[in-house]
Amino acid sequence: MEKRKIDTVVGGGIAIDGAGVKLVRVFGHSQIPQFDPFLLLDAFDSIHYEDFIKGFPWHPHRGIQTVTYLIKGSIEHADSLGNKGSINDGDCQWMTAGNGIIHQEMPVQSDHLLGTQLWINLPKDHKMDSPSYNDIKSNMIKEVEDDWGVVKVLSGNYNGHNGPIKNSIVPTLYLDVTLHENKTWQINVDAKSTVVIYVLSGTGYFDESNKEIESHRAIKIIDGDSVEVRSSNKGLRFLFLNAQPLHEPIAWGGPIVMNTREELHLAFKELDEGTFIK
């Protein structure tokens, strides 16, 4: 087995999105296609409700999947198909925008809003699929414990344990990993796949360079079929993302991601004409 090494470390920057939500855009449009098939990762971590309470009022999506993983807090959502619900502590919502959806995501006042939203690109043949949801409650997420810590399996298969997502279109291994102090965790991956790690808390080491990576950083790990992570004496919690790259052209305009400029222009034309929702 060949251990992967760190290729890129990004911390992103403060961004204001929605109606005035303060968040960290860890990576996004300016990194195309560095993290393929992952397009964007937003992180929110605030104990000040004024940072997030204005939320994300009605807005469209097409051509992507959005994965909202809420570690702490509560978000109410609704969409143009008539769906309504809430995401609470430890819950995850996996939404396939497909050929078009208009929705809103409105955080509820709480002591702490902590989580991430990931955008996964949809392949050309699935960009115009019908929209769908996978609502994952915290009690549906398998936890695998060992002497080094615990792994929560949101999607994919980890050591024989399946996540609750049955059809993610782009098969994705999404893990929430917590390591105790000074412990080592190892996982095998396909050598051609993309591996991205986002450090939620603590610090750790992600290759043999012994470079300590702090929290609120995303790391791309390349070249090899094995990933080894070591925690520091502060412990470590991170999100682990693994999927095959699509290697397809990207035409990206705000909340819509297609393959060509023509498809993108058509989407916005349909929005203007009221024919966006299929």
Side-chain angles (χ1 to χ4, degrees), residues 44 68 70 73-77 85-88 105-108 113:
F44 29 91
T68 304
L70 195 60
S74 181
I75 297 175
E76 294 180 346
H77 66 88
S86 61
I87 314 168
N88 301 299
E105 301 155 296
M106 304 301 291
V108 176
L113 189 73

Side-chain angles (χ1 to χ4, degrees), residues 37-68:
F38 308 119
L39 293 168
L40 175 147
L41 181 65
D42 282 345
F44 29 91
D45 182 1
S46 179
I47 58 173
H48 305 292
Y49 76 91
E50 62 269 19
D51 286 345
F52 55 81
I53 200 64
K54 293 181 180 178
F56 303 90
W58 296 100
H59 59 280
H61 284 298
R62 176 178 285 180
I64 61 172
Q65 294 182 303
T66 65
V67 184
T68 304

Side-chain angles (χ1 to χ4, degrees), residues 185-228:
W185 178 79
Q186 187 271 336
I187 189 169
N188 297 333
V189 296
D190 186 282
K192 296 180 180 179
S193 66
T194 299
V195 174
V196 178
I197 292 172
Y198 178 68
V199 182
L200 288 166
S201 61
T203 62
Y205 309 90
F206 299 86
D207 64 9
E208 295 179 342
S209 69
N210 288 322
K211 179 181 179 181
E212 187 173 10
I213 306 297
E214 299 179 345
S215 63
H216 302 92
R217 301 288 188 274
I219 311 149
K220 183 181 179 183
I221 314 288
I222 63 168
D223 296 342
D225 52 9
S226 174
V227 176
E228 185 174 283

Side-chain angles (χ1 to χ4, degrees), residues 60 253-256 263-273 276:
I256 297 171
E263 292 169 339
L264 194 61
H265 291 154
L266 176 61
F268 283 103
K269 180 174 181 287
E270 290 178 346
L271 274 171
D272 290 339
E273 296 175 348
F276 183 76

